[in-house]
Amino acid sequence: MSVRHSWVVNEGGATTSWFDVRLAFADGARVDALAVLSGQDLRVEDVRAQPPLSLDDLAVLAEWLEDPLFEACVPAPAGGVPAASRRARPAWPRGREERRLVAEEYRAAREEGGDPVLAVMRATGHGRRRSLRLIGQARDDGFLTPRRARR
């Protein structure tokens, strides 16, 4: 995997940087992505793959890119002290309490007309698959209504 700094825009004290990311595999397949760092927010803007990625591969792309991209894009803290965790997930309880809070986030997003899965992803810091699994577990525990009528 290679990460190359492409360009920087400084505007009004804010800095936005773009990075070209290439992930090459032994079988000749490759993934090219454009990542944008704005403040402490890092996003993948564009992805091109040869051969094209399946939906499952696209879902795990962030996991493939996450650590090398953060190492290249996010500067280390001043004083040379390494960051405790570049994968800063919000503090979130586990078990039954976790599923109760997931249900609250899900319901609040539905009431506001937003995407409930995205709301759970933001609250927990987990990806889509893990968030969907948590939502399903919240349903199983009775915190959310069943998805379909059982026969």
Side-chain angles (χ1 to χ4, degrees), residues 24-98:
F25 296 92
D27 64 356
R30 77 170 192 267
V31 176
D32 293 314
L34 179 65
V36 179
L37 175 65
S38 180
Q40 290 298 315
D41 186 30
L42 182 64
R43 295 181 315 271
V44 175
E45 294 283 322
D46 184 37
V47 176
R48 295 179 186 193
Q50 190 61 29
L53 294 173
S54 69
L55 288 176
D56 291 335
D57 290 340
L58 193 56
V60 296
L61 178 65
E63 293 173 19
W64 292 342
L65 299 178
E66 185 175 31
D67 290 334
L69 197 53
F70 268 109
E71 291 299 319
C73 300
V74 179
V81 178
S85 173
R86 299 233 185 222
R87 222 182 148 153
R89 284 198 174 118
W92 196 258
R94 300 281 181 198
R96 188 166 176 82
E97 180 67 12
E98 177 182 38

Side-chain angles (χ1 to χ4, degrees), residues 53-64 87 89 98 102 106 115-122 124-138:
L53 294 173
S54 69
L55 288 176
D56 291 335
D57 290 340
L58 193 56
V60 296
L61 178 65
E63 293 173 19
W64 292 342
R87 222 182 148 153
R89 284 198 174 118
E98 177 182 38
V102 162
Y106 185 92
D115 183 348
V117 177
L118 190 56
V120 171
M121 290 170 62
R122 283 189 194 123
T124 62
H126 291 297
R128 186 169 190 81
R129 283 184 177 183
R130 176 71 177 134
S131 295
L132 287 169
R133 187 175 303 126
L134 287 170
I135 291 167
Q137 290 170 352

Side-chain angles (χ1 to χ4, degrees), residues 3-16:
V3 178
R4 186 176 57 86
H5 196 206
S6 298
W7 65 93
V8 177
V9 174
N10 292 315
E11 183 178 357
T15 301
T16 304

